[in-house]
Structure formats: C-alpha cells, structure tokens
Amino acid sequence: MMTNAPALPLSLDAISWVGHGLVRPECVVVGPDGTLYTADWRGGVASIAPSGDVTLLKAEVGDGGPPLQPNGIARLSDGSFLLADLSDARAGVWHLAPDGRATPFLRSLGGAPLPPANFVLVDAEGRVWITFSTRMAPRALDYRPDANSGFVVLVDGDSARIVADGLGYANECRLSPDGHHLYVNETFGRCTTRFRVTAGNDLVERETVATYGPGTFPDGLDFDRRGRLWVTSIVSNRVLCLEPDGTVQTILEDTDPSRLAEIEDAFQNGTMGRPHLDTVHSRTLRSISSIAFDGDRAYLGCLLGDAIATFRLPD
C-alpha cells in the first residue's frame, strides 16, 4: 500500500525561518497566541509575533554590571519570564518583569552561590525545575564522557532543594504529559534520563530511556501533542524523535561528517573545548539546541544562528 509519508530524515529544504537579528536564541517557547519567545544574548527575551515582527524585552538589572546571558527561559502567566543565566558574573535564575526590570529569583542554595544555570521549567502546578549543567568552572572542563556534576533544583513555594545530582551535564528537562516523570537530557553523558516524581516532589527511580552514539550531544527536548519525545543535538544538528515503544528516529540532520569526526575524537580524548561548540560546519542549521511545538509545527532554537528554524512534523 502506498503512502504519502515523507522520507526520513527530512530534507533540509523542508525548513523555513522565522524572526531575524536574534543573538544566540538558544531556547524557544511558544506562547498561547502563537508568539515565539527566545532567549537573546543582547540581554533579555526576544518575541517574534505571528506577523514576523521582532521585539526585544531587555533586562534592566540596574547595578551597572554586565547584561544577563539567558540560556533557558520560561514564560509565566502574567507575561513575565524566568531566565536561567549562563554567565559567571550573574548565574542562577532571574525574574524578568514585563517592563524590563530584572531581579534575582534564585542565586544561592544553602548559603552557597549557585553556578551558571542552564534551563528553567515552570509546570502546571507552579513548581520551578532548574538544571545546572556542571559545578566545574569553566564549564568546558566538563565536556567529557565522564561528566557527572550536573544537578536539578526544585523550587516549590518558598522551598528550594537539589532533587537530582550526579548528571552528565544536565541540560533541558521536561515533565511527561501525565506529570508523573521528569525527563532530563545529559549532554555529555549522551543519554536521556527520567525520574519518577513522587507525591512529595522527590525524584526517584532514575532510569535511562535513550542512549546516543557518536556525534549526538542531546540538548533540548519536548513532547509533541501525540506524546512523542523529541530531542535536539547541538554540533551535529540532529533532531530525533523517541516513540513511546523506545524507537528512535532521526528526523533532521545537517552536519559535515569529517568535522563531526574531529569533534567526536576530541570528545573521546578529553580535549573538547569551546572552539568545538562555537563553530559550525553545516548547510543551514546553526547548532540547534531546543525544540518547541505549536500543533503540528516544530520550532528550533540554536546557539549560533540569528533566526528560528521551523518545519512541519511528519506523521
């Protein structure tokens, strides 16, 4: 029986672009009206209206210091944002009000300063889940196969505590559609891990749900409306779809095999550093780092581009 299902991986010609002039739009969030919001290293959040118009909400810290460097972002119901700050100067998580005022949300734990934060997720119950990739400084010291100092912090009301530790460079996290599990990408552990969320908001029963081979460095993840988990890989520009039965499909890929082999060798030999992440050898994608959905359309954040890639989901 013949079908009209597209061949996988999808052709790069299936990609179109939205937005312009963005600076390191690492994380992309879809608003209820279809507006896209992205982290932007001009120091705030860029919004892309359905018309394509781009507006920057710049964070005003007010202390004369350097601008925020938001990595992950979460939009709150009042139109404000939480920003996971990746800079050494600021670090932790900041609150960005609709008028641009930025104030600390969580910068220390138990009296000790927190390292740069990677990602922040606000769930339907108002709990805030924050990933910290590594305790090492600079972070590049943990671009290693044996990375294990990443952790997850839960903020629930006035309480903040570490709920998962020993992760291989913790990156984005998502709750399962039923809210029973928290999924976390371990970028240099090269796996997607999940924990069961208990009634007391503890994370237990750590389990590896997917492992990845050469050239895949899992960063972003999200569930589509069919319950499939999607994962993005920096460096290799891969988009993967994890079916509920455990099947992993490559949906998109845009990389130079010889350059990727060099990076893979550096990773395995413990010499991977910032230059390996700060350059890209590809046709069109620019080190994709996150994924978000609006119906049957996917949007991809990236580390090295200035716009958001988008494509229609295959069946």
Side-chain angles (χ1 to χ4, degrees):
M1 178 178 178
M2 298 183 64
T3 71
N4 293 319
L8 297 178
L10 292 179
S11 166
L12 294 175
D13 294 331
I15 295 170
S16 57
W17 300 89
V18 293
H20 57 84
L22 309 175
V23 179
R24 198 181 182 275
E26 197 277 350
C27 180
V28 58
V29 173
V30 181
D33 64 351
T35 297
L36 303 181
Y37 302 94
T38 75
D40 193 294
W41 270 23
R42 287 173 290 180
V45 173
S47 61
I48 306 169
S51 65
D53 293 337
V54 176
T55 304
L56 177 68
L57 176 61
K58 189 167 183 179
E60 301 296 339
V61 182
D63 60 6
L68 295 178
Q69 293 183 338
N71 198 65
I73 64 173
R75 185 175 184 272
L76 306 180
S77 58
D78 64 357
S80 64
F81 295 87
L82 293 181
L83 312 181
D85 188 82
L86 202 59
S87 69
D88 295 320
R90 301 290 187 186
V93 176
W94 291 72
H95 178 260
L96 175 61
D99 65 1
R101 288 179 298 115
T103 53
F105 176 80
L106 184 71
R107 300 192 64 206
S108 63
L109 196 62
L114 285 164
N118 186 291
F119 186 71
V120 57
L121 170 70
V122 180
D123 68 22
E125 298 182 22
R127 298 171 298 189
V128 181
W129 307 86
I130 308 165
T131 63
F132 296 85
S133 295
T134 178
R135 292 179 171 88
M136 301 188 76
R139 294 184 302 281
L141 294 175
D142 226 6
Y143 297 172
R144 306 291 184 267
D146 60 354
N148 66 357
S149 67
F151 59 100
V152 179
V153 168
L154 170 64
V155 180
D156 188 14
D158 295 329
S159 170
R161 59 191 173 95
I162 294 175
V163 287
D165 209 341
L167 300 174
Y169 211 85
N171 217 299
E172 289 198 9
C173 65
R174 297 286 180 184
L175 283 171
S176 58
D178 61 11
H180 294 165
H181 292 88
L182 184 78
Y183 287 70
V184 185
N185 270 345
E186 299 184 56
T187 300
F188 298 116
R190 277 199 165 153
C191 62
T192 300
T193 298
R194 75 174 181 182
F195 301 86
R196 183 170 64 83
V197 183
T198 70
N201 296 328
D202 294 316
L203 296 184
V204 299
E205 300 171 9
R206 179 175 177 173
E207 176 186 8
T208 300
V209 297
T211 58
Y212 308 104
T216 296
F217 301 95
D219 189 321
L221 76 170
D222 201 1
F223 289 91
D224 67 15
R225 61 183 179 181
R226 289 174 51 185
R228 300 175 297 183
L229 181 64
W230 294 66
V231 170
T232 60
S233 168
I234 54 172
V235 181
S236 57
N237 290 306
R238 289 174 179 157
V239 177
L240 308 173
C241 180
L242 283 61
E243 298 284 355
D245 64 2
T247 303
V248 179
Q249 293 190 85
T250 299
I251 305 299
L252 277 174
E253 181 172 3
D254 183 12
T255 191
D256 179 290
S258 61
R259 175 56 176 165
L260 191 59
E262 294 174 7
I263 294 173
E264 179 67 25
D265 184 65
F267 174 67
Q268 295 295 342
N269 291 327
T271 58
M272 189 177 191
R274 285 305 318 175
H276 296 100
L277 301 188
D278 290 342
T279 58
V280 63
H281 293 248
S282 59
R283 174 181 154 190
T284 187
L285 297 175
R286 297 294 180 257
S287 199
I288 54 174
S289 52
S290 71
I291 188 165
F293 299 103
D294 186 9
D296 61 358
R297 181 158 290 279
Y299 296 93
L300 303 174
C302 63
L303 299 180
L304 302 175
D306 60 3
I308 299 298
T310 180
F311 64 93
R312 188 171 297 278
L313 299 187
D315 293 332

